Amino acid sequence: MTVLVLLGVLALAVGGCVCVVWAERGGPRWVRAVATMTLAAGKVVRRSERNRRLGLNGTTSDDG
């Protein structure tokens, strides 16, 4: 079951990347919409990773 979920996530990621490339070359409207959603999801993931890293390695003076 876990393998099927991971394969589904992989298929969505690859499909999103294909749509981004296709949209750069002037694909149809639905491709541009999927590409926009894919790029937005990537920004959200990068932002959450950065915030998580800053939370773990941030410089706070709570050592008291």
Side-chain angles (χ1 to χ4, degrees), residues 15-37:
C17 292
V18 168
C19 285
V20 168
V21 172
W22 191 5
E24 284 290 320
R25 296 173 183 252
R29 185 180 303 172
W30 68 269
V31 171
R32 291 192 298 266
V34 172
T36 301
M37 289 187 293

Side-chain angles (χ1 to χ4, degrees), residues 35-54:
T36 301
M37 289 187 293
T38 301
L39 293 173
K43 286 182 182 180
V44 168
V45 169
R46 282 193 303 271
R47 186 178 300 136
S48 68
E49 284 294 318
R50 185 181 63 216
N51 289 342
R52 192 179 68 140
R53 228 178 312 130
L54 288 175

